[in-house]
Amino acid sequence: MVGVVGGGSFSTLTRKNGIKVGAGSPCSVEEVCLAVGEIIGHGNIKSAARMNGAVVLFVEKVEHAQQVVEKGVSVNGLFLQVSPLTLPSTKIMLSNVPPFISDEFLIKELSRHGKVVSPVKKVLSGCKSPLLKHVVSHRRQLFMILNRKDEEMNLRFHVRVDDFDYVLFATSGQMKCFGCGQEGHIIKMCPDKAELAKPDSEKQQPVAAEQGKKTIVRRMLWRETLLMLRRENPPLLPLLLLARLPLRGNQRW
């Protein structure tokens, strides 16, 4: 038999009264409600249901929702993340993360910049072969409520494992290069980095070619000047040739 209740005080509830608990956790709705009730009182829980892998609850007062978000919830020794429904979370993409780096370490580092509100998930490599569809990439993703909601996350941090340093990247929004700051590529594929990596001989080739063009133009102008003087004013030709001779030592005119 399905229990039914009247409208009562439910009409006063808004999204500000809602919280989302334990995204991706195996805890039941009842277990979550009992744990939340220990914080705010069981009578202050008005509704609860599992939605999109999390338990969504609506509580009596907005202050109750804020209280649960601040403290978090523990069920059977398992700590569950709690997030309000009114604050949209931001998708964070982690890249260059070896598989032996733990999710706990990543959450600890990212928690300095906001509240992690979802489990960390590994991103598949995208192999087309059915034999390799299980292979994951070195990227992971999660959702956070950032401390600075008006700014995008663009971080890199270092971790040392087995005497080797790894540089991990965390970004929101589009993929962004940590070298030039432009979007659409990572620093390993940065075109500016490729330009800087060219040998000096390759960098000097355009300069040498430009200087060669200028030399050819000067020679053509000089030749035309000599031909013009030869036709129109031959006596000035020796003086002009003499002026082109380089001076030696301290010679002066």
Side-chain angles (χ1 to χ4, degrees), residues 53-72:
V55 177
V56 177
L57 301 90
F58 283 86
V59 296
E60 178 71 25
K61 298 180 180 180
V62 176
E63 292 78 7
H64 292 149
Q66 295 173 348
Q67 185 179 356
V68 178
V69 170
E70 291 175 359
K71 290 188 175 182

Side-chain angles (χ1 to χ4, degrees), residues 19 35 44 55 69 90 95 102 105 109 137 143 149 152 166 174 187 207 237 248:
I19 54 175
N44 290 317
V55 177
V69 170
T90 302
S95 57
S102 67
F105 170 80
E109 290 294 322
S137 66
F143 288 85
K149 304 174 185 62
E152 291 187 353
Y166 295 88
Q174 296 186 7
I187 189 170
V207 177
L237 188 58
R248 295 180 180 178

Side-chain angles (χ1 to χ4, degrees), residues 135-170:
V135 178
V136 297
S137 66
H138 290 176
R139 295 189 298 161
R140 305 184 200 182
Q141 70 178 34
L142 69 156
F143 288 85
M144 292 182 61
I145 298 175
L146 300 177
N147 293 334
R148 298 184 178 181
K149 304 174 185 62
D150 56 337
E151 297 182 5
E152 291 187 353
M153 176 176 285
N154 194 20
L155 302 174
R156 58 178 166 184
F157 45 94
H158 299 259
V159 55
R160 189 171 184 83
V161 179
D162 295 333
D163 296 327
F164 191 86
D165 292 321
Y166 295 88
V167 181
L168 314 183
F169 304 95

